[in-house]
Amino acid sequence: MDYSSKINDSIKSVKPSGIRKFFDIVNEMDNVISLSIGEPDFKTPWHIRKAGIDSLEMGRTWYTPNRGFAQLREEISNYMKRKCNLTYSADSEVVVTVGGSEAIDIAIRCLVGKGDEVLIPQPSFVCYEPLTIMAQATPVIIETKMENNFRLTVDDIKDKLTENTKLLILPFPNNPTGAIMEKKDLEAIAKLVEEHDLMVLSDEIYSELTYGGKNHISFASIEGMKERTIVINGFSKSYAMTGWRLGFACGPKEIVEMMTKLHQFCIMSAPTTAQYAAIEALKNGDDDIAYMRDQYDMRRRLVVGSLNKMGLTCFEPEGAFYCFPCIKSTGLTSEEFCTKLLHAKHVALVPGSAFGECGEGYVRLSYSYSLKHLKKALTLIEEFLKEL
Amino acid sequence: MDKLLKILSENSAYTTAQLALMLNEPEDYIKAQIKEYEDSGVIRGYQAMVNWDSVPDAGVMAIIELKVTPQKEKGFDEIAEKVMMFDEVSSVYLMAGGYDLALVVKGDTIQDVSAFVAKKLSALEGIVSTATHFMLKRYKEGSVALVDVEEPTDGREMIV
């Protein structure tokens, strides 16, 4: 059968992930020292796992309300107040989703459609562009630059604005660059957002992982922006709960209402066990976050300092758990660099080009690994550079 | 706990440059700090974590429980300090519970250790009784696994 004619044109037009070919090679090799994984190496803290186990032992295995348990939404509302000084109604302005990913998907689908343009800063996580295409809208890529510390600037946005621009994606703290946005950066953008009547999807999944005393600032906390912003967050990165698949969105009730409607039809409700665990995480997990952040920070300094010493210019990442060294000095493309490093030293990094064309000339190195593992990998990378 | 000490106690093979990066302190400060710990006796030495079970003819080890009569004034310290002077003894601990001192003793053969207990240790004044337990296999020491347990594989499979 000619399945091509049976398949939706939008999904056909979505480019497959550029790194698949590279990682097909990685997967066939033995003894690879990987620095490529984008999730915490920590296990979910025990008391959080226990809350999930307890709920299973009690037989709490049913669906939850579509929006998520009321108690969980209450805790999320408290969390947003505690961390960002934002007030969201647990009843109408919070929806619990299957990871931050689902929240991004339903937010985009509820906000844009045919003829709308979505501004997507890159390098960034790989999902925004495909999800925009699936929503029939048009992705417009904005390149962030190393000379701006990979922050998004008003000038970058201005060049890309048209009368069809409707939504701006703000992916900070950023995967893969580790860039964050400070208050003044956000305020400048807020002005532009107001002037051009835009909505903003602020993906703040790495909000708990910022370093050097720079606390995360939610875009919604900038004056006038709460009514224009859908904040996406979740449990994966902050509480090392990736596999539980639990995230949430907060925003104006009219939009959260629509997102909940879509969520109800495509998902029903987010995983029940995970929701019980998440209640425990929000109630008693602040110390776990602090501990893990401290560990990441130690690794971050070791990795960034070592890379700079060996001549791979590395902008100082202030968030998430990645660094994004520039490899242009080697004269290789991102993919060539990664392939050669893999064959020569069995160390796997992710080519920057996987996160958008403007990621070319960079590689992403995840420091979500033990110090022992990082130390070994850094020694091998240094050897590789000397032998080039 | 002091972060520098914690790191060194887990792995003393970091360079001072690496420690300086990790702890966000100048390298000179790290060097001074380590020297201070060494001078004041907080850091007493650096050792490789050797798995003696994998070294041919590395000898035998035993844990010895000692019951002793505490001495006037000095309590258990006097006898403990005498016991620790023997080269055969690699560790000495004062214990709460069924006996008083726990020793780790090394020897070339079981006979060596037996002779040490019978002739040297038991002969000390104040030793009431000994119980010698020979070690058959070492699994973990100083937080380091000594057997090749399958490294917990990185269960993470998602790349991006």
Side-chain angles (χ1 to χ4, degrees):
Chain A
M1 196 191 291
D2 173 20
Y3 285 106
S4 180
S5 65
K6 309 287 182 201
I7 294 171
N8 177 329
D9 287 335
S10 298
I11 189 65
K12 278 193 286 186
S13 75
V14 168
K15 280 177 276 174
S17 163
I19 55 171
R20 195 187 293 165
K21 201 178 75 194
F22 176 67
F23 278 97
D24 282 347
I25 309 173
V26 176
N27 289 333
E28 280 174 16
M29 284 175 74
D30 287 333
N31 306 320
V32 174
I33 299 176
S34 176
L35 295 182
S36 59
I37 285 175
E39 62 176 316
D41 58 319
F42 299 102
K43 299 182 187 87
T44 306
W46 172 249
H47 65 104
I48 299 174
R49 279 186 273 161
K50 184 74 169 59
I53 294 167
D54 287 349
S55 78
L56 287 173
E57 283 182 348
M58 299 282 285
R60 309 255 185 243
T61 55
W62 301 287
Y63 294 125
T64 75
N66 293 125
R67 299 173 177 276
F69 280 127
Q71 196 193 350
L72 176 56
R73 281 180 282 119
E74 208 54 65
E75 289 298 340
I76 290 170
S77 175
N78 294 341
Y79 173 88
M80 294 303 286
K81 183 78 193 164
R82 186 166 85 235
K83 300 277 178 170
C84 311
N85 199 25
L86 284 162
T87 307
Y88 286 104
S89 156
D91 292 333
S92 59
E93 295 177 318
V94 178
V95 58
V96 179
T97 55
V98 180
S101 297
E102 189 222 342
I104 295 166
D105 181 28
I106 61 177
I108 292 176
R109 285 201 277 161
C110 286
L111 288 170
V112 297
K114 213 173 172 72
D116 294 330
E117 291 177 4
V118 179
L119 299 175
I120 304 173
Q122 283 184 351
S124 63
F125 182 53
V126 293
C127 77
Y128 311 113
E129 201 176 341
L131 294 178
T132 299
I133 292 170
M134 290 311 292
Q136 316 298 326
T138 308
V140 176
I141 306 305
I142 307 178
E143 298 183 5
T144 58
K145 300 177 194 75
M146 184 155 156
E147 63 257 34
N148 297 328
N149 287 342
F150 289 109
R151 293 182 187 192
L152 185 63
T153 70
V154 169
D155 288 339
D156 295 335
I157 304 176
K158 271 186 182 157
D159 291 345
K160 304 285 181 168
L161 281 171
T162 74
E163 57 189 14
N164 296 322
T165 309
K166 196 169 175 194
L167 177 65
L168 166 67
I169 310 273
L170 271 185
F172 296 97
N174 183 272
N175 169 12
T177 64
I180 62 164
M181 294 283 278
E182 290 189 72
K183 195 162 184 215
K184 59 176 185 339
D185 307 314
L186 295 174
E187 280 169 348
I189 286 171
K191 237 175 108 193
L192 197 75
V193 164
E194 184 95 59
E195 279 166 21
H196 292 268
D197 194 22
L198 305 180
M199 291 297 293
V200 173
L201 186 161
S202 189
D203 182 355
E204 303 181 9
I205 192 77
Y206 289 99
S207 65
E208 293 288 359
L209 300 178
T210 59
Y211 311 104
K214 288 182 178 160
N215 286 335
H216 172 73
I217 311 281
S218 174
F219 188 69
S221 69
I222 306 296
E223 202 188 335
M225 289 301 107
K226 186 169 171 254
E227 60 186 41
R228 295 183 172 275
T229 306
I230 314 294
V231 177
I232 311 285
N233 210 324
F235 300 87
S236 295
K237 317 294 179 176
S238 43
Y239 297 98
M241 291 179 69
T242 45
W244 299 78
R245 306 308 308 125
L246 207 67
F248 59 86
C250 298
K253 73 170 192 289
E254 291 77 3
I255 293 170
V256 170
E257 194 61 48
M258 291 301 121
M259 287 170 64
T260 307
K261 186 159 72 175
L262 184 51
H263 170 79
Q264 169 187 339
F265 291 125
C266 65
I267 298 289
M268 302 280 292
S269 62
T272 302
T273 313
Q275 291 194 42
Y276 281 110
I279 292 169
E280 170 64 20
L282 289 171
K283 274 182 162 171
N284 299 310
D286 282 2
D287 290 348
D288 302 306
I289 293 178
Y291 169 76
M292 290 189 272
R293 181 196 297 129
D294 208 42
Q295 296 295 309
Y296 289 131
D297 194 18
M298 198 187 293
R299 301 163 179 187
R300 176 184 73 102
R301 287 191 303 256
L302 175 70
V303 169
V304 175
S306 304
L307 289 174
N308 278 325
K309 271 187 195 165
M310 57 180 97
L312 283 190
T313 323
C314 189
F315 128 90
E316 169 105 20
E318 294 176 303
F321 38 60
Y322 311 102
C323 56
F324 204 58
C326 178
I327 49 104
K328 289 175 187 169
S329 62
T330 63
L332 301 171
T333 66
S334 303
E335 198 156 335
E336 283 167 355
F337 182 93
C338 291
T339 309
K340 279 188 180 224
L341 176 63
L342 180 67
H343 287 298
K345 299 291 171 187
H346 286 213
V347 174
L349 307 180
V350 183
S353 49
F355 305 95
E357 280 169 31
C358 56
E360 181 51 57
Y362 300 86
V363 293
R364 188 190 79 172
L365 187 159
S366 160
Y367 51 84
S368 180
Y369 290 90
S370 71
L371 281 167
K372 193 175 160 193
H373 186 98
L374 290 170
K375 217 169 139 237
K376 200 160 146 192
L378 286 168
T379 307
L380 291 167
I381 294 172
E382 190 170 12
E383 281 175 21
F384 170 72
L385 290 172
K386 281 184 185 152
E387 291 163 16
L388 264 185
Chain B
M1 202 207 304
D2 183 295
K3 277 187 189 168
L4 175 60
L5 277 182
K6 188 166 188 299
I7 295 172
L8 288 176
S9 70
E10 284 163 5
N11 183 355
S12 61
Y14 288 108
T15 64
T16 47
Q18 286 171 327
L19 291 168
L21 283 172
M22 286 156 67
L23 296 168
N24 204 19
E25 301 281 2
E27 194 174 342
D28 286 345
Y29 172 83
I30 299 286
K31 282 181 182 163
Q33 194 72 19
I34 290 176
K35 183 163 186 313
E36 200 179 311
Y37 281 134
E38 288 170 349
D39 291 348
S40 64
V42 173
I43 292 179
R44 297 273 172 163
Y46 304 89
Q47 293 180 324
M49 309 297 300
V50 178
N51 177 13
W52 290 111
D53 285 354
S54 65
V55 179
D57 304 322
V60 294
M61 282 173 80
I63 288 177
I64 300 176
E65 300 172 4
L66 285 187
K67 285 186 185 165
V68 302
T69 316
Q71 308 293 305
K72 236 183 193 172
E73 309 274 314
K74 287 204 80 179
F76 292 103
D77 288 350
E78 190 176 336
I79 187 100
E81 283 163 18
K82 276 185 192 161
V83 165
M84 66 183 266
M85 298 315 285
F86 290 116
D87 291 340
E88 293 89 339
V89 174
S90 63
S91 308
V92 180
Y93 308 96
L94 178 63
M95 311 297 289
Y99 55 98
D100 304 313
L101 294 178
L103 274 49
V104 177
V105 171
K106 287 181 185 167
D108 287 342
T109 61
I110 289 181
Q111 287 75 12
D112 282 347
V113 174
S114 305
F116 167 72
V117 175
K119 293 183 181 158
K120 293 185 177 170
L121 202 56
S122 305
L124 285 181
E125 197 182 340
I127 303 278
V128 177
S129 71
T130 67
T132 304
H133 309 277
F134 283 101
M135 282 183 204
L136 301 180
K137 185 171 176 179
R138 270 162 290 196
Y139 292 90
K140 191 177 183 183
E141 268 177 19
S143 303
V144 175
L146 298 181
V147 287
D148 292 328
V149 277
E150 206 166 309
E151 280 252 337
T153 48
D154 195 330
R156 298 177 293 165
E157 295 187 9
M158 183 78 81
I159 300 297
V160 174

